[in-house]
Amino acid sequence: MKKSIITQKIIAKAFKDLMQSNAYHQISVSDIMQTAKIRRQTFYNYFQNQEELLSWIFENDFAELINDNLDYYGWQNELLLLLRYLDENQIFYQKIFVIDKNFQHFFLIQWENLLDKVIFDQEKKSDYHWSDLEKSFICRYNAAAICAITKESIIRGNSLEKLYSQILNLLLAQIKIFES
């Protein structure tokens, strides 16, 4: 049976909506499907359990935000869109950081993917050729820092969009240092 991305997104939205006012362990599949206005059994056509739904949300949301849009929007706009998305879904991610220790690793990898695109785009614009070691270092270093600061901002309930200019300026300054 072909899985409908629309149905998966409806289920995911219902789950995120429930997470706004409920603890993760208090939400049942029945609650999710009742909120989605879809029969309960349909959940199991798409997901084995809530953990699989959670993983799907991470992969789908971040794939759409980062991987699917990078070439279209460019990394600077993509950075802003990602920070806005995290702001809009802040309560959800506050709870996720507490309950899912694997999410932080996934979150870090997503930042590394975005920063890899930053270096790739910069390399096309400049005469400087980055070594693999330089690329790896600047991506990993900045991804770890940005991951930590955005996680802290999410947990504290601070706006991430306000970090945009700071992150942007830091990345551009570091790129300039490497290229000089």
Side-chain angles (χ1 to χ4, degrees), residues 107-170:
F107 195 56
L108 176 64
I109 290 169
Q110 299 313 306
W111 281 113
E112 287 177 1
N113 289 343
L114 179 57
L115 294 171
D116 189 52
K117 176 63 175 168
V118 170
I119 301 303
F120 179 78
D121 284 355
Q122 193 60 34
E123 212 169 21
K124 288 192 303 188
K125 295 178 191 174
S126 105
D127 295 333
Y128 185 77
H129 178 71
W130 293 70
S131 72
D132 289 342
L133 184 61
E134 288 172 326
K135 287 179 195 178
S136 175
F137 175 79
I138 200 163
C139 287
R140 289 176 50 226
Y141 176 83
N142 285 294
I146 294 168
C147 182
I149 198 73
T150 54
K151 176 186 174 187
E152 181 182 322
S153 293
I154 288 168
I155 290 170
R156 290 184 176 184
N158 297 336
S159 170
L160 281 91
E161 188 173 347
K162 291 180 180 179
L163 295 174
Y164 173 73
S165 61
Q166 295 167 326
I167 295 170
L168 180 65
N169 291 337
L170 176 72

Side-chain angles (χ1 to χ4, degrees), residues 92-107:
F92 176 75
Y93 285 104
Q94 283 172 347
K95 293 178 181 182
I96 295 309
F97 274 119
V98 172
I99 62 162
D100 191 338
K101 303 302 178 199
N102 293 326
F103 177 70
Q104 184 162 338
H105 179 71
F106 175 82
F107 195 56

Side-chain angles (χ1 to χ4, degrees), residues 31-77:
D31 295 333
I32 295 167
M33 299 311 284
Q34 187 173 19
T35 301
K37 296 180 174 48
I38 301 173
R39 68 183 189 91
R40 183 180 183 276
Q41 187 55 40
T42 302
F43 180 91
Y44 299 102
N45 293 339
Y46 297 93
F47 309 104
Q48 291 181 11
N49 52 41
Q50 287 170 247
E51 290 78 22
E52 190 174 298
L53 169 59
L54 200 54
S55 293
W56 185 87
I57 290 170
F58 301 155
E59 292 170 18
N60 184 69
D61 287 359
F62 283 92
E64 282 184 8
L65 282 164
I66 296 175
N67 303 332
D68 295 352
N69 293 325
L70 269 174
D71 293 330
Y72 180 72
Y73 289 119
W75 73 266
Q76 293 178 356
N77 288 330

Side-chain angles (χ1 to χ4, degrees), residues 4-52:
S4 164
I5 189 77
I6 294 169
T7 303
Q8 289 171 301
K9 285 185 176 203
I10 291 168
I11 294 168
K13 181 175 180 340
F15 180 64
K16 284 180 176 179
D17 289 348
L18 287 167
M19 286 281 291
Q20 296 295 312
S21 57
N22 299 287
Y24 174 78
H25 66 276
Q26 294 174 326
I27 300 170
S28 68
V29 170
S30 294
D31 295 333
I32 295 167
M33 299 311 284
Q34 187 173 19
T35 301
K37 296 180 174 48
I38 301 173
R39 68 183 189 91
R40 183 180 183 276
Q41 187 55 40
T42 302
F43 180 91
Y44 299 102
N45 293 339
Y46 297 93
F47 309 104
Q48 291 181 11
N49 52 41
Q50 287 170 247
E51 290 78 22
E52 190 174 298

